[in-house]
Amino acid sequence: MSLQQLDAFREKHLDLNSIKELPESYAWSSEDNCPSSSNSEPVPVINLKDSNAMKHVGYACKTWGVFQVTNHDIPITLLNNMEASGRKLFSLPFQQKLKAARSLDGVSGYGVARISSFFPKLMWSEGFTLIDSPHQHAQKLWPQGSGNFCDVIEEYNKEMNKLSNRVMWLILGSLGIKKGDIKWANQEGEIKEACAALQLNSYPSCPDPDRAMGLAAHTDSTLLTILHQSNTSGLQVQRGVGWVTVKPIAGALVVNIGDLIQILSNGLYSSVLHRAMVNRTQHRLSVAYLYGPPSNVRIAPLSKLTDNVHPPLYRPVTWSEYLGTKAKHFNKALLFVRLCAPITMSGFVDASTDNHNSVLVG
Ligand SMILES: C=C1C[C@]23C[C@@]1(O)CC[C@H]2[C@@]12CCC[C@@](C)(C(=O)O1)[C@H]2[C@@H]3C(=O)O
Ligand SMILES: O=C(O)CCC(=O)C(=O)O
Ligand SMILES: [Fe+2]
């Protein structure tokens, strides 16, 4: 990052850990920050060792787009070590974290939520994204030695890759998809070249949590995301018109359905809109493993799920192409890869003028 970029960054983004009163630039209107629904049914919790796990996953995908998993075989010590590594990183002095700041056009490094540009107010969070080896970043953050930071990240990525593949097959299996139906997986269903990003999110305690927003409502552009949310609540998912809190369960992991599963499943399973809230007393940390397909693969509705009555709803896209669309159109990105425009309640086609790929139906 150039010195000029660093100055612009410092000007806009404050060290949240030292602020005693919520600045106006972080105060969201009550409309944006609408409260959560009370008395809602809880998000499904699925024991991966249950012989009916696939059926439960199918139900959770159809009705929620999110579920928690237990008995997932990720050692609790690894989850604890990952959380401790995240806390160690975010507790570094602000100036030190800035040494590993994400460049303006870059993906990895320290920075504010990259969706910030779509909102008039700033979010009460800081993040660290890793897509490749953690060593270069660790060297900048801890020039005297980073302890076991890199080992923990590498072990975590390896284990999350295995778990993501296992959960992906439960999701696809629940739609009747077999190993041979996915060309980019080998006979065992493994995806050797799967791409992924690790996103560490830090939400410092906030002097006015009811007016602040940790991470604004979004869907993930992934096949699926596995989130370790520590023991402090904050994650909420949209259900109907309200927001439901995903209660932290010790040792459980949250699985979010991403936009690419929505495309693959031809809309049978929708990605879940979610957000993170903050609180007055606790510093919350979350670690998201964002799982996607190999970079050369074009994701399209699976042919087994389409026919004359159910034509493909989306055109084929690679993950990086889709991330580009998301960076430009954010929560409308799926509409921009859609082939058949959805019909609105009024019976008219909801045609976006920008969406030149739409074939209007109905
Ligand atoms: C692979 C990716 C998905 C992501 C953008 C990124 O290039 C790296 C970070 C990811 C993340 C994490 C926080 C929420 C999110 C919307 C964001 O701003 O950065 C996601 C992006 C995404 O899923 O679109
Ligand atoms: O912190 C959380 O609970 C949510 C994080 C998240 O949605 C993400 O990293 O994509
Ligand atoms: Fe997310």
Side-chain angles (χ1 to χ4, degrees):
M1 193 181 251
S2 70
L3 277 177
Q4 255 173 336
Q5 282 178 347
L6 257 184
D7 282 344
F9 190 94
R10 279 203 200 98
E11 205 174 286
K12 207 160 164 218
H13 309 294
L14 309 173
D15 178 5
L16 303 180
N17 296 287
S18 62
I19 300 178
K20 301 281 170 277
E21 201 180 313
L22 192 76
E24 263 317 295
S25 53
Y26 287 84
W28 290 57
S29 72
S30 49
E31 206 177 281
D32 288 325
N33 202 350
C34 57
S36 45
S37 333
S38 45
N39 300 328
S40 161
E41 232 184 296
V43 167
V45 181
I46 302 171
N47 171 357
L48 291 186
K49 298 264 157 71
D50 182 334
S51 53
N52 284 320
M54 187 180 283
K55 201 177 102 202
H56 296 314
V57 164
Y59 174 79
C61 291
K62 189 89 208 123
T63 55
W64 282 87
V66 61
F67 50 94
Q68 304 214 50
V69 292
T70 58
N71 256 318
H72 42 59
D73 291 336
I74 306 283
I76 191 79
T77 46
L78 181 59
L79 296 179
N80 292 341
N81 287 343
M82 184 65 243
E83 188 179 334
S85 298
R87 291 197 185 274
K88 173 170 136 169
L89 188 162
F90 289 114
S91 64
L92 282 170
F94 189 49
Q95 297 303 327
Q96 194 60 25
K97 290 182 276 194
L98 285 181
K99 297 204 168 129
R102 195 173 70 225
S103 62
L104 283 181
D105 51 355
V107 178
S108 35
Y110 174 73
V112 295
R114 45 173 67 62
I115 57 175
S116 297
S117 59
F118 294 97
F119 296 91
K121 296 290 177 168
L122 292 167
M123 295 171 212
W124 195 264
S125 61
E126 47 182 347
F128 203 97
T129 313
L130 287 159
I131 49 162
D132 34 32
S133 157
H135 287 92
Q136 272 195 2
H137 299 290
Q139 171 66 33
K140 288 184 201 153
L141 293 166
W142 297 282
Q144 318 294 356
S146 55
N148 66 353
F149 181 81
C150 295
D151 294 342
V152 172
I153 301 278
E154 279 164 357
E155 181 65 11
Y156 194 82
N157 276 335
K158 197 174 93 205
E159 290 296 321
M160 283 294 152
N161 175 278
K162 277 197 271 174
L163 179 61
S164 301
N165 186 262
R166 184 172 163 203
V167 174
M168 186 191 78
W169 279 110
L170 287 172
I171 297 171
L172 295 178
S174 72
L175 289 165
I177 303 300
K178 302 274 177 307
K179 303 264 151 97
D181 297 329
I182 300 284
K183 310 274 177 307
W184 32 282
N186 67 16
Q187 280 180 339
E188 283 75 48
E190 292 160 350
I191 302 161
K192 294 279 183 227
E193 307 291 317
C195 293
L198 192 67
Q199 171 75 23
L200 312 183
N201 300 301
S202 153
Y203 307 94
S205 53
C206 176
D208 195 352
D210 298 337
R211 295 203 303 146
M213 173 65 73
L215 190 56
H218 66 280
T219 60
D220 295 340
S221 315
T222 53
L223 286 167
L224 58 89
T225 301
I226 300 189
L227 187 85
H228 172 35
Q229 64 159 338
S230 71
N231 62 359
T232 307
S233 65
L235 175 64
Q236 295 187 334
V237 294
Q238 193 182 46
R239 189 131 206 259
V241 287
W243 291 96
V244 176
T245 298
V246 184
K247 295 225 169 69
I249 299 176
L253 293 163
V254 181
V255 177
N256 291 335
I257 297 302
D259 296 342
L260 298 187
I261 285 285
Q262 180 163 338
I263 296 176
L264 265 187
S265 71
N266 205 29
L268 288 172
Y269 294 164
S270 297
S271 54
V272 64
L273 196 66
H274 55 284
R275 66 182 188 181
M277 309 308 280
V278 293
N279 75 84
R280 194 180 296 278
T281 53
Q282 275 160 315
H283 180 175
R284 178 170 181 268
L285 192 103
S286 76
V287 183
Y289 184 79
L290 299 128
Y291 184 67
S295 55
N296 59 345
V297 167
R298 295 174 90 205
I299 295 294
L302 292 164
S303 54
K304 256 198 175 170
L305 304 176
T306 62
D307 56 26
N308 289 342
V309 188
H310 307 97
L313 296 179
Y314 304 98
R315 68 178 170 86
V317 271
T318 63
W319 196 19
S320 64
E321 206 186 318
Y322 185 70
L323 283 169
T325 306
K326 187 83 166 221
K328 202 160 157 209
H329 302 290
F330 187 42
N331 279 348
K332 291 204 172 71
L334 276 171
L335 278 179
F336 283 84
V337 295
R338 204 170 157 118
L339 290 168
C340 307
I343 298 172
T344 64
M345 297 292 279
S346 64
F348 291 104
V349 163
D350 178 16
S352 152
T353 46
D354 275 321
N355 190 354
H356 55 271
N357 288 308
S358 284
V359 174
L360 305 184
V361 291

